[in-house]
Amino acid sequence: MAFQDRSLTCVDCGQQFTFTAGEQEFYAQKGFMNEPKRCKGCKAVRKGGGGHGGPRQEYEVVCSACGQPTSVPFKPILDKPVFCKPCFVAKRAGG
């Protein structure tokens, strides 16, 4: 089957994006039945903000080791220790 680039409209932002022949071939190989509905930018935002989608959520915490304020990219769990980057690296290196 010969695939050709197709222009699609993003359901979120309404912008046109290209569903390339290579992407169509990949979808067919994986058995995907539906074509993409979102452009790459809107897909990244929907997945959680990494990459081109913008900044990820940061949570302000106090390091359990040194007591300094820091931020982490995950929601802390109350009974689990949270470390700043230097303390985390030192703890990981120390075993």
Side-chain angles (χ1 to χ4, degrees), residues 15-31:
Q15 297 293 318
Q16 296 286 313
F17 67 97
T18 302
F19 186 29
T20 67
E23 290 170 330
Q24 292 173 48
E25 184 177 3
F26 174 79
Y27 271 52
Q29 288 173 352
K30 293 291 184 181

Side-chain angles (χ1 to χ4, degrees), residues 12 40-50 52-54:
D12 288 345
K40 290 181 182 179
C42 289
K43 191 183 306 183
V45 168
R46 188 170 172 88
K47 282 190 170 186
H52 301 293

Side-chain angles (χ1 to χ4, degrees), residues 41 44-59 71-74:
V45 168
R46 188 170 172 88
K47 282 190 170 186
H52 301 293
R56 61 184 172 185
Q57 173 88 33
E58 292 281 330
Y59 296 89
S71 62
V72 293
F74 57 88

Side-chain angles (χ1 to χ4, degrees), residues 45-87:
V45 168
R46 188 170 172 88
K47 282 190 170 186
H52 301 293
R56 61 184 172 185
Q57 173 88 33
E58 292 281 330
Y59 296 89
E60 298 298 319
V61 296
V62 174
C63 177
S64 297
C66 69
Q68 294 295 313
T70 189
S71 62
V72 293
F74 57 88
K75 189 171 183 175
I77 300 172
L78 292 176
D79 59 344
K80 301 274 185 175
V82 179
F83 303 100
C84 63
K85 184 143 180 117
C87 290

